[in-house]
Amino acid sequence: MTDGETGRVFRLAYVPGVTPAKWVNVWTERMPDVPITLLAVPAAEAVGLLRDGAADAAFVRLPVDREGLSVIPLYVEITVVMVPKDHEATAADEVTVADLADDEVFHPLDDTIDWAVRPGLPAFTRPATTADAVELVAAGSGLLVVPQSLARLHHRRDLTYRPMPDAPQSQIGLAWPTDATTDLVEDFIGVVRGRTVNSSRGRAADTPAEKPAQRQPRKPAQNGSGRRAAPAARKKKGNRPR
């Protein structure tokens, strides 16, 4: 079927760690005639998906190459270190970058944290993905520093994590192609920003047409004393000829 036959669809991509359910639920209630298609993509592929026209908007991890894109920063995540449950770091409520100076720390190829200087000692390998790095941490081969949502996503019984307040943080943003800012994109921006149905940016609510002013009945003229003017005397009729 053609797009015209199947109706409009809004395609939303999102990177690991982002849970779009709350926005999708609002969209479904507000736009029941426009289905939303969710596309789970690796963080490194989200921008390419937008530029290829395969998604209308995407939740991405910042920073990203913003050329040709519009981006709204949304929220910042706490950075944590994932460690085996018997690791000495679990004795503290928080861990600093300096605390990891003597530990081997994995730096997966899909890491999205913008490090000036990576913490710890370089591990023996760079895993292709965060999921691969988690497996190596569970094997006792090193530690892994990630945004908190990824630690939750890759939760295991034999691992735990601790916050790292002095580490760089990862930010989530909503991105879309600037020259493809459609009405549906504007509607989704309104959902993400928590706007009501009638206040979505760029989508003015329909207002009822103004009714024509009703003609008011004329008030009887008044004389200077405030009394009503006496009605004009009727013209006397002449006597009829007999």
Side-chain angles (χ1 to χ4, degrees):
M1 293 185 180
T2 65
D3 184 62
E5 292 172 331
T6 58
R8 297 183 299 173
V9 175
F10 188 73
R11 301 161 302 167
L12 176 65
Y14 64 99
V15 299
V18 175
T19 305
K22 64 179 180 179
W23 298 297
V24 171
N25 290 340
V26 174
W27 176 276
T28 302
E29 293 176 2
R30 188 174 296 181
M31 308 284 288
D33 297 331
V34 183
I36 187 167
T37 299
L38 297 178
L39 307 169
V41 296
E45 298 179 14
V47 169
L49 204 68
L50 293 173
R51 291 197 172 119
D52 291 342
D56 299 299
F59 288 112
V60 298
R61 286 196 180 274
L62 305 179
V64 295
D65 179 3
R66 298 194 179 197
E67 184 179 355
L69 298 180
S70 294
V71 179
I72 300 175
L74 296 177
Y75 60 89
V76 176
E77 288 193 65
I78 297 172
T79 299
V80 302
V81 57
M82 296 186 71
V83 300
K85 282 196 170 181
D86 59 356
H87 194 275
E88 60 183 9
T90 60
D93 293 332
E94 295 180 342
V95 174
T96 66
V97 172
D99 291 335
L100 304 183
D102 297 327
D103 288 287
E104 291 190 6
V105 179
F106 291 108
H107 182 222
L109 296 177
D110 64 354
D111 183 20
T112 57
I113 297 177
D114 190 15
W115 294 103
V117 178
R118 298 188 187 104
L121 303 173
F124 70 92
T125 185
R126 287 199 66 184
T129 67
T130 297
D132 293 337
V134 170
E135 294 293 333
L136 293 172
V137 174
S141 301
L143 310 182
L144 176 64
V145 179
V146 292
Q148 186 176 32
S149 65
L150 292 183
R152 290 174 174 171
L153 179 66
H154 297 288
H155 170 74
R156 292 174 55 119
R157 290 185 177 181
D158 51 353
L159 298 181
T160 187
Y161 61 85
R162 291 292 184 270
M164 294 184 64
D166 63 341
Q169 296 177 319
S170 178
Q171 187 172 29
I172 298 298
L174 179 68
W176 68 95
T178 302
D179 58 0
T181 308
T182 64
D183 285 347
L184 292 183
V185 170
E186 291 283 15
D187 286 329
F188 191 74
I189 293 170
V191 169
V192 171
R193 285 197 178 279
R195 297 191 183 108
T196 62
V197 176
N198 293 330
S199 64
S200 294
R201 180 181 177 185
R203 304 297 301 277
D206 293 333
T207 55
E210 292 184 355
K211 295 180 180 180
Q214 294 181 349
R215 183 175 296 176
Q216 299 294 327
R218 291 183 178 179
K219 294 182 179 180
Q222 294 182 341
N223 57 23
S225 63
R227 297 178 181 177
R228 292 184 179 181
R234 294 181 181 180
K235 188 177 179 181
K236 294 182 180 181
K237 297 180 179 180
N239 294 329
R240 294 181 181 179
R242 294 181 178 177

